[in-house]
Amino acid sequence: MTQLLIRLFIRRPNSPQDSRVRAAYGNLASVVGMVCNILLCLGKFVVGTLFGSIAITADALNNLSDASSNIVSLVGFKLAAKAPDAEHPYGHARFEYLAGLVVSVTILGIGFSLLKESVVKVLHPTPVQFGWLTVAVLVVSILVKLWMSGFNRTIGRIISSETLIATAADSRNDVLSTAAVLVAAILCRVTGWDVLDGLMGVGVAVFILISGWGLVMDTLSPLLGESPSEDLVEHIEQTVMGYPGVLGVHDLMVHDYGPGHQFASIHVELPAEQDPLEAHDLIDNIERDFMKHDHLMVTIHYDPIVTSDAAVGVLRSRLTEKLRQLDPALSLHDLRIVPGKTHTNVLFDLVLPAGYAGDKVELLTQMEQFIKEQDPTYNCIIKLEQSYTAAAHK
């Protein structure tokens, strides 16, 4: 069914990196989800009202919240597809994150409302009527939600949409909550304990609140500026290191302006003895290849590394090993040895992971002492830097 819908409604389905194709995928997922959730809501609301079940009614409102989430997502995908303009040269793709945040807050609001109603039903239980129509509606709901979970997960992976992947997880959670409601209806019938209906309603409400809070955190993270994924960091660094003559990379920064709208900058180390024009041509090729193959705008800073000085190579190896012993998350770059008449300056940048909890003064003292042990004439000049990738925590 998923592949059929994609063939019917998506033009050029094999080009998800295109903003218009991405928007088409997002619109399809949102519309399908909206239709399914509205039908499920109507069916459960009618059954819950007829048989006096607060748990089924709560589950119906949960589907209604999902439908409203689909509407917000639909608007979000449409706004996110707008082309860059003078006021927003980086595009409008962050609307997708904002849509997810609105959805999450809406889910929290509905969860609190359901919790209030369910607590009243626990304190003042009313008889719950049982019918096979109830069982049929809930079983159909479970099957539909199972399909929706797979549907949203498939499309979410195709277009790398955290919003749709979260929607898939929400549908999977709905399967669990609806199954709990079905169990409650059966238990009320078997035991005659009508309070179980209210207790299950409380359980569903708590489940919605927990899910909503998790979604709030997930959607806030990229808006606040989260670390790039380790897969992306590894891909960028390994791709650059694959070009001939590249000695190393550092200072990678990735700026996220929404799905499909990322910009990166990185320092690339090349031999200082290399012809500057050749080095510049290589850097141009790397930047063009990233744009061609990954649709990622990468800006590269050229760092010349002296490879003819054996002392620099030996000291770099020793310093790297020392840092590994102190903390594997530490690293260095731009090591230089500048001889003088009375002393020799050793300069390098020491990179700390974000949120480094160690004693920086003690760290600098240990590094200066270690360098002095290599040569008493060495004068250490260290510049501390923060890493902007989570990979530095490894």
Side-chain angles (χ1 to χ4, degrees), residues 121-137:
K121 187 68 179 286
V122 171
L123 298 176
H124 307 285
T126 56
V128 177
Q129 299 179 21
F130 179 83
W132 289 110
L133 179 60
T134 301
V135 175
V137 169

Side-chain angles (χ1 to χ4, degrees), residues 55-134:
I56 296 177
T57 303
D59 209 32
L61 292 178
N62 183 27
N63 290 136
L64 181 61
S65 73
D66 291 340
S68 65
S69 300
N70 296 138
I71 295 174
V72 174
S73 297
L74 183 63
V75 175
F77 276 113
K78 185 174 182 60
L79 293 175
K82 290 179 59 180
D85 53 36
E87 290 77 19
H88 306 94
Y90 295 101
H92 302 79
R94 280 183 176 171
F95 269 119
E96 187 174 330
Y97 297 150
L98 291 173
L101 183 59
V102 172
V103 168
S104 304
V105 174
T106 302
I107 291 174
L108 283 177
I110 291 177
F112 280 116
S113 177
L114 293 180
L115 181 61
K116 178 182 177 182
E117 294 179 16
S118 299
V119 169
V120 172
K121 187 68 179 286
V122 171
L123 298 176
H124 307 285
T126 56
V128 177
Q129 299 179 21
F130 179 83
W132 289 110
L133 179 60
T134 301

